[in-house]
Amino acid sequence: MGGPILFGVRHLSPAAAYHLRGALDAAQPELVLVEGPSDLNDQMKWLCHPDTQFPAAIMAYTKEPPVRTILYPFAVYSPEIQAILWAHEHKVECRFMDLPSSVFLGIKPWFAPVTEEDDTGEDDGDAGEARPEEEAPTTESVYKRLETLTGEDHDTFWERTFEQIEGGPDFQAANNTFGRQLRAATVDDQRRMAETIVREAYMKRVIAQAIASGISPEKIFCVCGSFHVAGLETNQPMTDEEEAALPRADSCVTLMPYSYYRLSSRSGYGAGNKAPAYFELLWDALNRGGPGETAYLYLTHLAAAHRKAGNLTSSAEVIEAVRLADTLAAMRGSKYPTLSDLRDASVTTMGHGSFSELALAAADTEIGKKIGFLPEGVARTSVQEDFYRQLKELRLEKFRTAELQRLDLDLREKLNVKSEQAALGDLRRSFFLHRLRVLGVHFANLLPSRQDGANWGEYWELRWTPEAEIEIVESALMGETIEGAAAFSLKERADSSGSIAEAAAIFQDAFLCGMPAAAAHALSVLQGLSVDSAAISEVAETASRLSLVVRYGDLRRFDPTPVIPLIKQLYLRSCLTLTDACVCDTKAAPEVTRAMDQLNALQLNHDFLEEARWLDLLADISDRDDLNTRCSGFAMAILLERGKADEALLSREVARRLSPGVPADLGAGWFEGLAGKNRYALIARLSLWRQLDDYLSGLDDETFRRALVFLRRAFADFSPSEKNDIAENLGEIWGVTPQQAAEVLMNDITETEQAVLDSLGEFDFDDI
């Protein structure tokens, strides 16, 4: 009596899937056992559902944080999937036979993750400890040696050597032999080998149980990685005591759509392949007439994608590419062209010798944009169910693709519709997308506003990835719904925040998510933290965030009343501490002036903030000589912008600050602050530029060079058009052309000038 049939495969191998079905037809087994977690058998019915579209993946994850996950991805050409589908079509019992997913998750902290391993021996990661300098041959080193000997990467070697085998028994024998020899040639680290032995003992136990149930060994068909064939032939089954001693983690399982991009090597998934869409073409070719069809499918798809991108590709170029690929294959020792041959041929004929011309078409043909689809009723977590329900309700389903798409929202209520839901449709979409953002679900990316002050518009970029599904599943630990999980996340962040800036950011997130209760909690945390001292920049940033809520609360159906007292408190605090903050060095001055700008906008936007106090404070900072001169200059710029400083005052300040008695560094620093706002008003004042010219003309050479460094830095942030306007003023004063004057303004700061700036970083204005 012979043992069970062991069919070794390489994951995601079209030839393995194709010949496997032939072997199943020949064997007509009573039981098909597939390498995969034995507690996931109930997912097989969904893998066989007529509406299921691959790629798809089974994901298991722990219920308790930190969340650990393992993925089992499948393409339509996965041998495991074809074995399951064959059994379903022939009404033959089919089961997974590997360790349960709960055990994998239980041992994951100690063993390498199974999803990173290709059971023919490939492995991206290594969970073992560092090896000694004289390393034993591992699967990685064996593959590297193989690549050195063949002169090709492993995917090309595999395709040329195994994917082109046309006889089913020959393929099975070759693949099993390869797995045995690879196993014999390697000595992996103890942890990885221990996991392999445990897994094979468990699979052998499942086989033994099937035989004990009365199934003849010859009628059991086992599909496993070829690396495990030798182990299943020789190792002993796991005992009841050993099985009971296995560590287990409390876990859940879900079936999820997957993508070809994720399967590609670009995503870092070790058991994938570099070109999943290409391998689907190879699968189609095998089912249409053999591996020789692959060249025609690949090159016609590539030509179509290249034409779609707006490039001209003739039929003659495609025909020539086929001929050249056949020639390359013969030269390299294979019967049919591989992907490497086809790409070389297409670059020569269609790309005119440059791969860059074909890069987009190649990515579309070799990797593809395909994302799987699962039918209604697939078991999901409650958060997943809520996500898909809202996606449908908010009419966002069309954005669940791998293609990047734009979504523009108008948050204003639409008055020309009947239902409230439709009237606030874009606002509800905004709440939903912001909640996903708070949860770290990378489905939508918020873009900067295209119009200053037009906060009724939101602009998003949406793209669906399998990673987003994983992130949604992980959110299940925080709540039953998207809103509940977001509320938990916001509360957790608020409770752990250590500064008013952190708490304000959380409050703003809650506001954008349309969650008043979460916002109220964050606000209470913020109020508690606000009694402690904080830098002026932090206070100003916090007040600005709260200001946004007050100004646009009505737009988002949010009552801003509780926020107003806190804004008043922060505003008063800023007014009392700003002067002291202006006693700072050159490095800190930009941060202080940024805070001044935020506080000025804050006061302008709210009538309940005392204007006179703010203007008096600015006048005091502008007038004082013992503060950082850049801060004083910026205060003058704000007063000019608000119409609280006339020409006479500006002229007196320029004469006082830019005089021979004032160190050039301080004078130029003051002008840098003055130029920080209201630039067009400054440019229009020709008298200002005459005073600046007179000042520079009166400096000696050394002082002039130091002053010029600061002035060049002041002009560095000006736009080209602003610099041209200044050049016209200086050209008129100097009697030269604007182009000659522009050379002084347009040049970048040199290394020597930067060294001068760095040397002034510790200047202490307390000494003035």
Side-chain angles (χ1 to χ4, degrees):
M1 181 182 294
I5 300 170
L6 301 177
F7 197 107
V9 300
R10 182 180 193 250
H11 300 313
L12 300 167
S13 165
Y18 178 78
H19 294 306
L20 171 65
R21 291 192 68 104
L24 286 165
D25 287 336
Q28 291 296 311
E30 297 177 13
L31 173 65
V32 177
L33 296 177
V34 177
E35 182 185 319
S38 56
D39 58 339
L40 304 186
N41 292 325
D42 57 344
Q43 299 296 324
M44 284 188 180
K45 64 179 180 181
W46 296 112
L47 295 174
C48 299
H49 195 283
D51 293 335
T52 297
Q53 297 175 18
F54 294 97
I58 301 175
M59 182 173 71
Y61 59 96
T62 55
K63 292 183 178 180
E64 300 296 331
V67 178
R68 298 192 301 276
T69 60
I70 46 175
L71 279 165
Y72 303 88
F74 304 107
V76 68
Y77 52 84
S78 295
E80 299 88 347
I81 282 299
Q82 289 304 319
I84 293 169
L85 292 175
W86 185 94
H88 177 74
E89 294 161 8
H90 291 79
K91 296 180 171 42
V92 172
E93 184 181 4
C94 182
R95 298 199 299 262
F96 287 123
M97 63 173 177
D98 208 341
L99 290 170
S101 61
S102 58
V103 174
F104 273 121
L105 290 167
I107 66 177
K108 193 175 181 182
W110 296 278
F111 291 152
V114 67
T115 51
E116 291 184 358
E117 180 186 343
D118 182 329
D119 280 336
T120 58
E122 295 176 63
D123 196 330
D124 272 358
D126 184 357
E129 299 174 358
R131 299 187 184 92
E133 205 168 301
E134 292 295 326
E135 291 188 342
T138 64
T139 51
E140 293 89 351
S141 63
V142 170
Y143 278 124
K144 288 178 182 177
R145 177 62 175 161
L146 192 58
E147 290 176 359
T148 301
L149 292 173
T150 62
E152 296 181 317
D153 63 81
H154 181 64
D155 277 358
T156 302
F157 162 77
W158 180 270
E159 185 184 357
R160 202 180 297 282
T161 308
F162 292 94
E163 295 294 327
Q164 297 184 4
I165 297 176
E166 297 185 78
D170 291 340
F171 178 89
Q172 182 178 353
N175 205 12
N176 287 359
T177 300
F178 180 77
R180 291 190 190 97
Q181 292 181 347
L182 178 65
R183 189 184 185 106
T186 61
V187 181
D188 282 326
D189 67 90
Q190 292 182 352
R191 293 187 178 186
R192 186 187 299 178
M193 186 54 68
E195 181 192 12
T196 298
I197 293 171
V198 170
R199 291 177 62 193
E200 291 169 353
Y202 190 90
M203 287 189 271
K204 199 71 177 283
R205 171 186 173 86
V206 173
I207 295 171
Q209 288 175 335
I211 294 173
S213 70
I215 301 176
S216 173
E218 293 86 353
K219 290 298 182 180
I220 299 175
F221 195 104
C222 301
V223 181
C224 63
S226 59
F227 191 79
H228 294 301
V229 170
L232 294 182
E233 288 175 336
T234 58
N235 291 348
Q236 294 300 309
M238 182 178 290
T239 65
D240 293 343
E241 294 77 12
E242 290 169 338
E243 193 273 339
L246 291 172
R248 287 176 169 80
D250 196 10
S251 60
C252 293
V253 174
T254 184
L255 193 62
M256 55 182 279
Y258 216 61
S259 75
Y260 273 171
Y261 174 78
R262 176 68 173 167
L263 282 176
S264 74
S265 60
R266 290 186 187 182
S267 69
Y269 171 63
N273 51 43
K274 292 181 180 179
Y278 166 77
F279 276 96
E280 183 175 344
L281 293 178
L282 178 53
W283 167 251
D284 292 339
L286 289 169
N287 285 281
R288 287 174 52 171
E293 298 284 322
T294 310
Y296 307 115
L297 291 175
Y298 173 85
L299 291 170
T300 53
H301 277 75
L302 184 70
H306 199 42
R307 289 168 183 153
K308 187 177 180 181
N311 301 291
L312 296 176
T313 304
S314 68
S315 299
E317 288 175 327
V318 177
I319 294 170
E320 188 61 30
V322 172
R323 292 172 177 168
L324 180 55
D326 286 338
T327 302
L328 289 172
M331 291 173 60
R332 292 166 177 172
S334 60
K335 185 176 181 181
Y336 302 109
T338 65
L339 175 58
S340 176
D341 303 324
L342 292 168
R343 179 182 281 191
D344 288 345
S346 60
V347 168
T348 302
T349 58
M350 288 185 271
H352 309 104
S354 174
F355 176 71
S356 60
E357 288 192 29
L358 288 172
L360 292 177
D364 186 72
T365 308
E366 296 173 11
I367 296 175
K369 300 175 182 176
K370 181 176 285 190
I371 292 180
F373 174 81
L374 296 174
E376 292 287 338
V378 173
R380 296 186 178 120
T381 64
S382 57
V383 167
Q384 283 176 290
E385 293 288 358
D386 184 53
F387 171 81
Y388 283 105
R389 178 188 62 77
Q390 292 196 59
L391 208 65
K392 184 176 182 179
E393 184 179 299
L394 297 173
R395 298 182 179 178
L396 295 174
E397 287 180 302
K398 66 178 182 179
F399 295 98
R400 202 174 67 83
T401 69
E403 185 177 352
L404 187 68
Q405 299 183 69
R406 286 289 301 272
L407 173 64
D408 294 351
L409 301 179
D410 185 342
L411 306 184
R412 295 171 294 188
E413 182 177 2
K414 296 174 178 60
L415 302 178
N416 58 344
V417 295
K418 294 181 179 180
S419 70
E420 182 179 357
Q421 280 196 343
L424 301 176
D426 276 3
L427 179 61
R428 293 169 58 233
R429 292 185 186 98
S430 173
F431 288 159
F432 176 67
L433 295 177
H434 276 293
R435 289 167 186 174
L436 294 178
R437 178 181 60 80
V438 164
L439 289 172
V441 177
H442 293 85
F443 173 48
N445 177 45
L446 180 63
L447 300 175
S449 176
R450 295 200 294 260
Q451 295 173 279
D452 291 337
N455 280 272
W456 47 263
E458 272 191 355
Y459 311 100
W460 297 81
E461 286 181 343
L462 283 73
R463 174 188 284 160
W464 182 252
T465 64
E467 287 82 356
E469 185 95 34
I470 297 171
E471 290 158 352
I472 291 170
V473 170
E474 291 176 345
S475 300
L477 293 175
M478 294 182 281
E480 298 294 319
T481 63
I482 295 293
E483 182 178 2
F488 181 89
S489 175
L490 289 168
K491 183 179 184 302
E492 196 173 51
R493 285 172 54 199
D495 291 342
S496 61
S497 59
S499 68
I500 59 173
E502 288 181 42
I506 297 162
F507 174 79
Q508 186 179 24
D509 278 344
F511 164 69
L512 294 173
C513 290
M515 300 171 63
H521 179 71
L523 188 63
S524 66
V525 173
L526 175 57
Q527 288 170 328
L529 293 170
S530 65
V531 300
D532 298 328
S533 60
I536 187 68
S537 58
E538 190 176 7
V539 175
E541 177 68 26
T542 300
S544 296
R545 288 183 182 274
L546 298 180
S547 172
L548 183 72
V549 175
V550 174
R551 291 161 59 199
Y552 301 105
D554 290 343
L555 185 67
R556 290 183 170 273
R557 303 299 189 270
F558 191 93
D559 181 13
T561 305
V563 183
I564 295 175
L566 186 53
I567 292 179
K568 290 180 177 179
Q569 175 189 332
L570 294 172
Y571 172 73
L572 178 59
R573 180 174 172 179
S574 299
C575 290
L576 294 175
T577 60
L578 181 58
T579 302
D580 289 339
C582 290
V583 183
C584 60
D585 60 21
T586 303
K587 290 182 179 178
E591 191 173 292
V592 176
T593 55
R594 193 181 306 113
M596 292 171 66
D597 198 28
Q598 290 175 319
L599 292 169
N600 183 59
L602 181 74
Q603 196 283 314
L604 283 170
N605 286 321
H606 301 294
D607 294 337
F608 55 78
L609 299 179
E610 189 180 354
E611 182 182 28
R613 177 187 289 274
W614 177 243
L615 295 177
D616 289 344
L617 176 62
L618 290 175
D620 180 59
I621 293 173
S622 172
D623 187 59
R624 286 177 59 168
D625 296 332
D626 59 340
L627 306 178
N628 185 293
T629 53
R630 178 168 175 174
C631 297
S632 296
F634 194 77
M636 171 57 70
I638 296 176
L639 291 172
L640 283 170
E641 186 179 57
R642 297 186 62 151
K644 303 301 179 181
D646 55 21
E647 293 290 338
L649 176 59
L650 175 61
S651 181
R652 287 197 304 270
E653 279 297 296
V654 172
R656 184 168 71 88
R657 297 286 186 174
L658 303 181
S659 65
V662 176
D665 305 336
L666 303 184
W670 179 86
F671 186 83
E672 185 178 2
L674 181 68
K677 280 186 76 68
N678 204 23
R679 291 173 178 171
Y680 282 109
L682 295 178
I683 293 170
R685 289 176 164 91
L686 187 60
S687 60
L688 170 66
W689 302 101
R690 290 188 186 279
Q691 286 180 283
L692 178 61
D693 178 57
D694 292 341
Y695 166 69
L696 292 174
S697 299
L699 300 177
D700 59 56
D701 290 347
E702 179 61 28
T703 308
F704 172 79
R705 282 194 293 269
R706 294 174 68 83
L708 192 61
V709 172
F710 276 84
L711 292 174
R712 288 266 296 280
R713 186 175 71 177
F715 294 138
D717 293 335
F718 279 57
S719 68
S721 63
E722 291 171 338
K723 290 180 180 179
N724 286 330
D725 291 339
I726 296 172
E728 287 185 15
N729 287 340
L730 295 178
E732 182 177 340
I733 294 169
W734 295 340
V736 298
T737 65
Q739 289 75 17
Q740 290 172 314
E743 291 181 6
V744 178
L745 300 175
M746 297 297 186
N747 292 337
D748 294 330
I749 296 174
T750 66
E751 292 183 8
T752 303
E753 292 170 341
Q754 187 61 51
V756 174
L757 291 173
D758 294 340
S759 69
L760 298 172
E762 303 301 325
F763 192 93
D764 190 353
F765 285 84
D766 283 331
D767 294 338
I768 298 177

